[in-house]
């Protein structure tokens, strides 16, 4: 545990009950999958194209908002959050989240850690599909194993503590993860 406590944290970390599915990837798959996750431009779907245009236009407006006007800034931030939720729903509607299993995990906007049944080598790329509770928000990401070690006191069916760092995660999904973690801290 000292190893975990001494590590610098970029984001709030929480222990949470989530749904998770993971799969080791080959290096060939990493870049293609990572690009499709981080960019929302690969789809020919009309909804995606229209939402991309709105988000792009809105981003330039956000950049122009005078931060001294807190009411306007809050309104713009709220609209941006709503656009992000829409993007999230459209982007994830075609991803299969049916093989997820309920687990306890340590979660943040920077990564995830949990107990798993098998050892995965450090440096391995891993695709993860996470569903947050109770919101049902789904996150799809590519990660890298930063540690996977056996814990003698862990349950026999999940003896390995896996620590993953997000390497390919859409900025909007990262914002939703951070928001989720902050909401759990406040509760």
């Amino acid at each position: 545990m000292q190893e975990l406590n001494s590590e610098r944290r970029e984001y709030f970390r929480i222990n949470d009950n989530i749904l998770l599915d993971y799969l080791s990837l080959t290096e060939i798959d990493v870049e293609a999958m990572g690009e499709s996750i981080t960019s929302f431009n690969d789809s020919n779907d009309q909804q995606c194209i229209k939402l991309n245009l709105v988000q792009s236009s809105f981003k330039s407006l956000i950049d122009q908002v005078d931060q001294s006007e807190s009411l306007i800034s809050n309104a713009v931030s709220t609209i941006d959050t709503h656009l992000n939720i829409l993007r999230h729903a459209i982007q994830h509607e075609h991803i299969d989240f049916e093989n997820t299993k309920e687990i306890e995990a340590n979660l943040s906007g920077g990564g995830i850690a949990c107990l798993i049944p098998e050892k995965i080598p450090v440096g391995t790329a891993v695709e993860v599909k996470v569903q947050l509770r109770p919101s049902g928000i789904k996150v799809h990401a590519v990660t890298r194993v930063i540690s996977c070690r056996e814990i003698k006191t862990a349950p026999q069916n999940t003896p390995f503590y896996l620590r993953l760092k997000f390497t390919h995660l859409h900025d909007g999904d990262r914002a939703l993860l951070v928001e989720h973690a902050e909401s759990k801290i406040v509760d």
Side-chain angles (χ1 to χ4, degrees):
M1 269 318 184
Q2 185 177 17
E3 171 188 331
L4 297 177
N5 293 333
S6 65
E7 182 183 28
R8 241 180 109 193
R9 303 288 183 199
E10 292 180 57
Y11 306 97
F12 289 115
R13 298 193 71 76
I14 59 166
N15 291 321
D16 201 7
N17 186 280
I18 63 170
L19 297 173
L20 176 73
D21 185 16
Y22 64 93
L23 176 67
S24 295
L25 297 173
T26 66
E27 289 304 314
I28 295 169
D29 296 332
V30 171
E31 285 309 311
M33 181 174 290
E35 178 63 28
S36 71
I37 287 171
T38 57
S39 80
F40 190 45
N41 300 320
D42 292 330
S43 176
N44 290 328
D45 184 60
Q46 279 304 109
Q47 291 174 325
C48 294
I49 293 168
K50 288 177 184 176
L51 190 55
N52 276 334
L53 290 172
V54 171
Q55 280 186 305
S56 177
S57 298
F58 196 68
K59 179 153 178 41
S60 71
L61 288 174
I62 289 172
D63 294 340
Q64 296 173 21
V65 170
D66 180 8
Q67 293 303 319
S68 66
E69 294 290 334
S70 64
L71 183 60
I72 293 171
S73 180
N74 288 341
V76 168
S77 177
T78 300
I79 293 168
D80 189 41
T81 300
H82 283 89
L83 282 173
N84 187 39
I85 291 168
L86 267 175
R87 182 227 26 102
H88 182 271
I90 292 169
Q91 187 174 14
H92 294 298
E93 70 183 6
H94 302 295
I95 297 171
D96 174 21
F97 279 84
E98 293 180 17
N99 294 320
T100 58
K101 293 176 181 57
E102 185 174 339
I103 64 158
E104 279 294 318
N106 187 269
L107 182 66
S108 78
I112 186 169
C114 61
L115 292 169
I116 63 168
E118 72 279 344
K119 186 171 180 113
I120 301 176
V122 171
T124 301
V126 178
E127 173 188 21
V128 295
K129 297 173 186 173
V130 176
Q131 186 170 358
L132 303 175
R133 301 174 110 193
S135 66
I137 289 173
K138 297 174 181 176
V139 176
H140 185 214
V142 174
T143 64
R144 285 275 177 196
V145 175
I146 56 175
S147 172
C148 188
R149 59 185 172 91
E150 188 171 8
I151 306 292
K152 300 293 184 201
T153 57
Q156 207 170 27
N157 61 336
T158 55
F160 296 98
Y161 190 67
L162 175 68
R163 293 176 49 226
L164 301 167
K165 179 178 181 173
F166 294 125
T167 58
H168 296 84
L169 177 65
H170 191 280
D171 287 339
D173 286 352
R174 187 178 314 274
L176 290 171
L177 281 170
V178 170
E179 229 175 78
H180 176 78
E182 289 173 344
S183 75
K184 292 284 187 171
I185 291 171
V186 172
D187 289 347

